[in-house]
Amino acid sequence: MPECIFSKTWAASMPDRTVIRGGTLVITGLPQADVAMEGGRIVAMGPDLAAAPVEIDARGLHVFPGLIDVHLHFNEPGRTEWEGAATGSRALAAGGGTLFFDMPLNSTPCTVNAAAFDQKRAALAESAITDFALWGGLIPGNVPEMAELADRGVVGFKAFLCDSGLPEFPRADDLTLFDGLREAARLGLPVAVHAESQEITQGMAHAVAAQDRGTARAFLASRPVIAELEAIQRATLLAREAGAKLHIVHVSSGRGVALAAEARARGTDVSIETCAHYLFFTEEDVERLGPVAKCAPPLRHASEQNSLWQQLISGVVDIVASDHSPAPPGMKTGDFGRAWGGIAGVQSTLAVLCERGYHDRGLSPERIASLVAGEPARRFRIPGKGGIAVGADADLALVDLSRSLRLKPEHLMQRHALSPYVGSSFRGNVVRTIRRGETIFLSGEIVARSVGEFVRPSLS
Ligand code: ZN
């Protein structure tokens, strides 16, 4: 574990005013301008701001809003040997992140009632160097707990439409999902769904296991795109009927995005998330890399990935998250069939969007900022976050878009130096990450002196 050097009072001793000088601001028009920060907020923006006690030279760098990762699993409390908020938030910060939304699993207990929420909030408040928010869970039997979770400040409720991999977080049957959607609508919060059909994935897993047990190919064959499409269709229909906001996590296919967009056109209030790994890897990489690239839904064929990119570039995808879902090395090696399904990529989301989006496909920096910060804050109604503006929290990532870095295990700040991105090169490096005015990551090192804060949606 990292040495505990945090001070909750450090902010009180922060310098009065800091000016970030001469960076290219990732806001409309990409102006080159200075940014002044004071008391954790942005207090001025423009050319040639007056000198301040602390000056940061950002010439040649792009100043992005800090990443908001709306989907990850830091597994605290109860499974910190898998990750933990101390290590996970360091990796997030190293990738330009300043706020994360922790999923209700794979911590113990899962965040399915107020007592579990309180336990997790207390644990994360001690150890996360970035700000954090919490998802609640939606499982059979816990709809009556949702109101209290909303009072506590969850950003929404997560449900699985197929097995989650953890017996303590059972999947939501159709009635649980419908009841949960109606309750979430009443509470003004979204429901997030892992959209894969239980019947199709389970049935096909049995069928392929009979001939091809335990291989990457068998796993891919057991989770076809149609399993995702069927579940998206069902969830969007139920959400529209319930009048609820729906968020579809980790859509893996271009066809899945298109189907959700059709539902949106018919009146479903749905947001569409994909993850960096679906934009970077294909199913061939699963066979090449092995269990480190195993996830669900699985990585897809190159044609599906191309279509996903087209949907993203045309503005249909709203949010890109990491779905960082790490496990101890022993669970990510050996027999593919038994390996943990989850990709540990929290540090690489922005790098993927810069390399494969900005450099390879001409995706604008403003659009990247929208996918990883602006839209997460807007959709989940997080006040003061997601943009670069006077009055906003001073959450920023200073990025050298042209510098190339080959990711090595020693660069990873997470608990286990296992990631399918190791060995890949990325143009677009985070040089400095600033959370509420405090530099928490600088030139490859974590330099945070205080912990982050719990944030909640503004439902007024
Ligand atoms: Zn997840």
Side-chain angles (χ1 to χ4, degrees):
M1 290 296 293
E3 192 184 344
C4 183
I5 52 166
F6 301 134
S7 159
K8 300 221 179 214
T9 57
W10 184 80
S13 65
M14 280 170 69
D16 285 345
R17 193 179 178 95
T18 301
V19 170
I20 301 168
R21 193 70 75 185
T24 299
L25 307 190
V26 182
I27 57 177
T28 307
L30 295 176
Q32 196 173 341
D34 304 337
V35 177
M37 310 181 288
E38 200 168 344
R41 297 234 167 113
I42 295 171
V43 293
M45 291 162 54
D48 304 320
L49 295 182
V54 180
E55 300 257 333
I56 294 171
D57 183 1
R59 285 172 297 174
L61 303 178
H62 281 70
V63 181
F64 280 79
L67 265 69
I68 300 174
D69 195 333
V70 306
H71 182 169
L72 52 70
H73 306 258
F74 283 165
N75 307 331
E76 183 162 356
R79 273 197 186 84
T80 49
E81 72 276 17
W82 291 27
E83 183 63 272
T87 48
S89 65
R90 282 166 165 70
L92 174 67
T98 51
L99 167 62
F100 65 89
F101 298 178
D102 196 64
M103 281 292 170
L105 69 168
N106 312 315
S107 52
T108 305
C110 296
T111 319
V112 293
N113 56 45
F117 177 100
D118 292 345
Q119 246 182 292
K120 180 179 278 194
R121 179 177 169 175
L124 269 52
E126 288 293 312
S127 54
I129 65 164
T130 63
D131 287 349
F132 65 96
L134 301 186
W135 284 97
L138 168 58
I139 60 172
N142 91 320
V143 171
E145 312 282 349
M146 290 170 65
E148 222 177 333
L149 283 164
D151 278 350
R152 292 289 204 276
V154 293
V155 291
F157 302 93
K158 167 79 177 292
F160 273 75
L161 305 191
C162 59
D163 279 348
S164 73
L166 293 180
E168 65 269 34
F169 200 95
R171 75 184 174 94
D173 55 87
D174 288 352
L175 183 57
T176 296
L177 180 59
F178 187 52
D179 284 346
L181 283 161
R182 284 193 298 187
E183 178 66 349
R186 189 181 72 80
L187 297 167
L189 288 168
V191 169
V193 290
H194 175 130
E196 281 187 294
S197 157
Q198 172 69 6
E199 284 70 22
I200 294 174
T201 54
Q202 190 179 43
M204 294 191 84
H206 284 144
V208 293
Q211 336 137 7
D212 200 8
R213 187 179 295 276
T215 65
R217 188 46 58 186
F219 177 74
L220 293 169
S222 73
R223 305 189 91 100
V225 171
I226 186 61
E228 179 168 82
L229 301 179
E230 188 281 331
I232 288 173
Q233 183 90 298
R234 187 156 35 97
T236 52
L237 178 64
L238 293 172
R240 189 166 79 230
E241 183 71 13
K245 295 176 199 295
L246 184 70
H247 178 70
I248 306 177
V249 300
H250 54 48
V251 180
S252 66
S253 61
R255 281 189 285 162
V257 174
L259 191 62
E262 282 172 26
R264 180 149 63 194
R266 287 196 302 270
T268 306
D269 183 350
V270 56
S271 47
I272 303 166
E273 169 199 304
T274 191
C275 298
H277 40 269
Y278 300 115
L279 298 165
F280 194 80
F281 298 110
T282 65
E283 59 185 23
E284 285 175 14
D285 295 309
V286 184
E287 296 191 90
R288 180 174 61 84
L289 295 167
V292 74
K294 180 181 179 182
C295 61
L299 302 173
R300 300 300 189 188
H301 189 268
S303 62
E304 208 58 74
Q305 186 190 63
N306 285 337
S307 151
L308 185 62
W309 266 113
Q310 280 165 19
Q311 300 279 359
L312 185 145
I313 287 165
S314 64
V316 183
V317 173
D318 301 297
I319 290 172
V320 178
S322 73
D323 191 12
H324 180 72
S325 181
M331 294 177 71
K332 289 299 274 179
T333 49
D335 180 65
F336 193 95
R338 277 202 281 273
W340 177 253
I343 280 182
V346 67
Q347 206 169 312
S348 300
T349 304
L350 185 59
V352 167
L353 289 169
C354 289
E355 173 65 32
R356 294 288 170 88
Y358 173 75
H359 286 290
D360 288 354
R361 293 176 172 84
L363 188 68
S364 71
E366 299 102 306
R367 177 91 179 105
I368 293 174
S370 168
L371 289 162
V372 296
E375 200 53 29
R378 193 200 64 78
R379 177 62 171 171
F380 297 101
R381 289 188 280 178
I382 306 298
K385 303 286 193 189
I388 304 174
V390 172
D393 290 348
D395 294 343
L396 303 166
L398 275 50
V399 178
D400 185 336
L401 277 176
S402 56
R403 191 166 140 236
S404 182
L405 181 84
R406 187 161 178 266
L407 190 70
K408 297 179 181 164
E410 56 266 34
H411 295 141
L412 294 172
M413 300 282 178
Q414 62 219 42
R415 185 167 189 100
H416 304 289
L418 267 184
S419 166
Y421 296 110
V422 166
S424 295
S425 291
F426 299 92
R427 287 164 290 174
N429 278 186
V430 177
V431 174
R432 179 192 290 260
T433 305
I434 298 168
R435 184 257 299 132
R436 295 183 190 267
E438 178 190 343
T439 294
I440 58 174
F441 172 81
L442 180 61
S443 304
E445 305 284 338
I446 295 294
V447 295
R449 295 181 57 192
S450 70
V451 286
E453 294 182 24
F454 171 70
V455 301
R456 58 184 298 158
S458 169
L459 301 183
S460 53

